[in-house]
């Protein structure tokens, strides 16, 4: 089967006033379906820039990006929007939940955009919340949830539409160790049981250890690409 992600000589150049920043400098990368990839590297090395392009939130300055056989640069905007809604889930460090809106309504959002009935939206969102261990918290607002619980709502929102890829940009960056482990076990299960491809940015090597492949970025380039056995979850 063709790879899920193929990048050839991807560049991203930002211009701010007279200053030019080469955030990505010739990325070549192939990712297969079902991989669990951790992206590491110092601050400013281009990790988020790469994630945003792979997740179709941004376009490269030049180079080729094919997602699931589709050339993203030349794809029609409505096709790209459809692809984003159906295939891609995003989780961010800062949760990005809608304030004063319940956990259930937050998780419903991608389904609302698909035009499902309210009843069906609620049913599927409740199932997604249950999946991340938040049954009974459906009516809580984000401010009434812990950081780890808010991140679980964000994961429920990302997975409610059954995406094939999940992008997570430092999903445990604002969490304590125990909550981080819970979040990583959920992601690990989504990868192993559901076969969802996961691409995760992290600064912490014990978080990266959950992945089966580790990329290291430096100055807009990939300087290391290592495949290895992920750590085994200890069942107590
Ligand atoms: N919208 C933007 N406009 C201009 N420059 C930008 C923009 N976004 C990122 N950059 C620059 O591109 C480079 C890469 O930024 P990026 O956010 O991808 O780094 P990162 O590896 O995710 O860093 P961190 O670990 O701190 O999140 C940086 O030098 C940054 O200043
Ligand atoms: Mg970043």
């Amino acid at each position: 089967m063709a790879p899920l992600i193929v990048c050839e000589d991807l560049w991203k150049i930002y211009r701010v006033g007279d200053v030019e920043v080469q955030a990505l400098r010739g990325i070549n990368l192939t990712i297969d379906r079902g991989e669990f990839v951790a992206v590491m590297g110092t601050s400013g090395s281009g990790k988020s820039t790469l994630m945003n392009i792979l997740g179709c939130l941004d376009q490269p300055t030049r180079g080729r990006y094919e997602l699931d056989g589709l050339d993203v640069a030349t794809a029609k905007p409505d096709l790209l929007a459809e692809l984003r809604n159906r295939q891609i889930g995003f989780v961010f460090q800062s949760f990005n939940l809608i304030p004063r809106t319940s956990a259930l309504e937050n998780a419903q959002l991608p389904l609302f955009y698909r035009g499902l009935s309210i009843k069906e939206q609620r049913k599927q969102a409740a199932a997604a919340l249950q999946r991340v261990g938040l049954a009974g918290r459906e009516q809580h607002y984000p401010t009434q949830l812990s950081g780890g619980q808010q991140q679980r709502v964000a994961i429920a929102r990302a997975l409610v539409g059954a995406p094939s890829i999940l992008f997570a940009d430092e999903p445990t960056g604002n969490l304590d160790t125990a909550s981080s482990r819970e979040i990583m076990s959920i992601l690990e299960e989504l990868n192993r049981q559901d076969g969802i491809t996961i691409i995760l940015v992290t600064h912490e090597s014990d978080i990266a250890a959950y992945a089966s492949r580790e990329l290291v970025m430096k100055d807009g380039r990939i300087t290391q690409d290592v495949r290895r056995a992920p750590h085994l979850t200890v069942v107590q």
Side-chain angles (χ1 to χ4, degrees), residues 12 14-16 21-24 40-50 52 58 93 169-170 201 203 217:
K12 181 69 181 182
Y14 294 109
R15 284 194 183 81
V16 182
V21 180
Q22 298 183 334
L24 296 181
M40 300 192 76
T42 49
S43 182
S45 57
K47 304 179 298 293
S48 295
T49 303
L50 180 63
N52 291 343
D58 199 1
Q93 177 174 0
D169 196 345
E170 301 193 48
V201 171
H203 281 283
M217 294 190 68

Side-chain angles (χ1 to χ4, degrees), residues 12-186:
K12 181 69 181 182
I13 299 167
Y14 294 109
R15 284 194 183 81
V16 182
D18 293 337
V19 181
E20 183 183 283
V21 180
Q22 298 183 334
L24 296 181
R25 302 194 295 156
I27 300 285
N28 292 299
L29 177 65
T30 301
I31 296 176
D32 287 322
R33 274 159 240 276
E35 285 202 83
F36 189 159
V37 183
V39 183
M40 300 192 76
T42 49
S43 182
S45 57
K47 304 179 298 293
S48 295
T49 303
L50 180 63
M51 293 282 277
N52 291 343
I53 291 174
L54 297 182
C56 303
L57 298 176
D58 199 1
Q59 290 272 10
T61 308
R62 59 175 190 269
R64 200 167 67 91
Y65 174 32
E66 248 177 48
L67 174 60
D68 203 10
L70 185 80
D71 184 344
V72 172
T74 55
K76 293 213 167 68
D78 51 342
L79 192 64
L80 211 54
E82 171 87 5
L83 181 83
R84 223 168 20 218
N85 182 266
R86 301 235 167 225
Q87 295 239 36
I88 297 174
F90 252 104
V91 177
F92 300 95
Q93 177 174 0
S94 51
F95 321 136
N96 291 10
L97 298 177
I98 302 171
R100 292 181 294 278
T101 304
S102 71
L104 189 71
E105 287 165 326
N106 267 284
Q108 274 173 244
L109 202 64
L111 303 176
F112 167 79
Y113 289 118
R114 283 192 196 176
L116 264 65
S117 73
I118 297 279
K119 196 175 161 206
E120 195 54 34
Q121 288 176 33
R122 286 195 183 134
K123 193 173 140 209
Q124 293 187 23
L129 287 175
Q130 184 165 26
R131 179 86 201 262
V132 298
L134 284 181
R137 295 286 192 283
E138 292 85 356
Q139 298 311 323
H140 285 233
Y141 290 161
T143 50
Q144 297 168 328
L145 295 167
S146 71
Q149 289 171 335
Q150 289 180 60
Q151 193 59 299
R152 284 193 265 161
V153 174
I155 294 174
R157 179 180 61 187
L159 68 86
V160 74
S164 54
I165 319 173
L166 190 66
F167 291 98
D169 196 345
E170 301 193 48
T172 61
N174 283 345
L175 302 178
D176 60 34
T177 310
S179 308
S180 297
R181 285 212 186 105
E182 282 168 20
I183 294 300
M184 291 313 297
S185 321
I186 293 170

